[in-house]
């Protein structure tokens, strides 16, 4: 399996905009997105918070996920995924 690392942006409407082209056959792809480290730091230092309104919530056409996304809170800026994985593994394996 070939993996590609590309740069992109999220626009004001919440759409992913890929800034690079790539030589790849047409078809479905799976996308994993994480913010650039500098962007996360700037966002956490920003004094203006994004208000939680229905427009800022994730929207889906899958009815099974609608209630899940409506009730989900955003991840805090200081969340460490590696630390959370380690804590879950310690709990699971009684370490």
């Amino acid at each position: 399996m070939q993996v590609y690392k590309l740069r992109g942006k999220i626009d004001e409407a919440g759409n992913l905009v890929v800034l690079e082209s790539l030589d790849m056959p047409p078809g479905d792809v799976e996308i994993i997105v994480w913010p650039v480290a500098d962007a996360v730091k700037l966002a956490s230092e920003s004094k203006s918070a994004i208000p939680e309104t229905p427009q800022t919530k994730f929207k889906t056409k899958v009815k099974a996920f609608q209630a899940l996304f409506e009730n989900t809170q955003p991840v805090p800026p200081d969340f460490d995924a590696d630390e959370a994985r380690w804590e879950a593994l310690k709990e699971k394996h009684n370490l």
Side-chain angles (χ1 to χ4, degrees):
M1 173 176 66
Q2 180 69 35
V3 177
Y4 298 90
K5 181 177 179 182
L6 305 168
R7 302 285 292 197
K9 287 186 173 191
I10 304 295
D11 64 12
E12 291 79 18
N15 297 313
L16 173 65
V17 179
V18 178
L19 302 174
E20 305 171 27
S21 63
L22 70 142
D23 184 26
M24 192 172 161
D28 293 336
V29 296
E30 186 172 304
I31 300 169
I32 300 171
V33 178
W34 64 85
V36 177
D38 293 338
V40 172
K41 185 177 178 183
L42 290 174
S44 65
E45 292 174 355
S46 174
K47 292 181 182 177
S48 63
I50 299 173
E52 269 207 38
T53 62
Q55 292 83 15
T56 61
K57 295 276 187 176
F58 185 79
K59 295 180 181 177
T60 180
K61 293 181 181 178
V62 180
K63 291 183 181 182
F65 293 135
Q66 286 176 347
L68 173 72
F69 290 133
E70 289 172 2
N71 299 323
T72 302
Q73 297 297 318
V75 177
D78 61 342
F79 178 75
D80 184 3
D82 291 330
E83 183 66 27
R85 283 188 206 104
W86 175 240
E87 292 297 325
L89 285 170
K90 286 194 306 189
E91 182 179 328
K92 179 180 179 180
H93 296 289
N94 297 319
L95 298 176

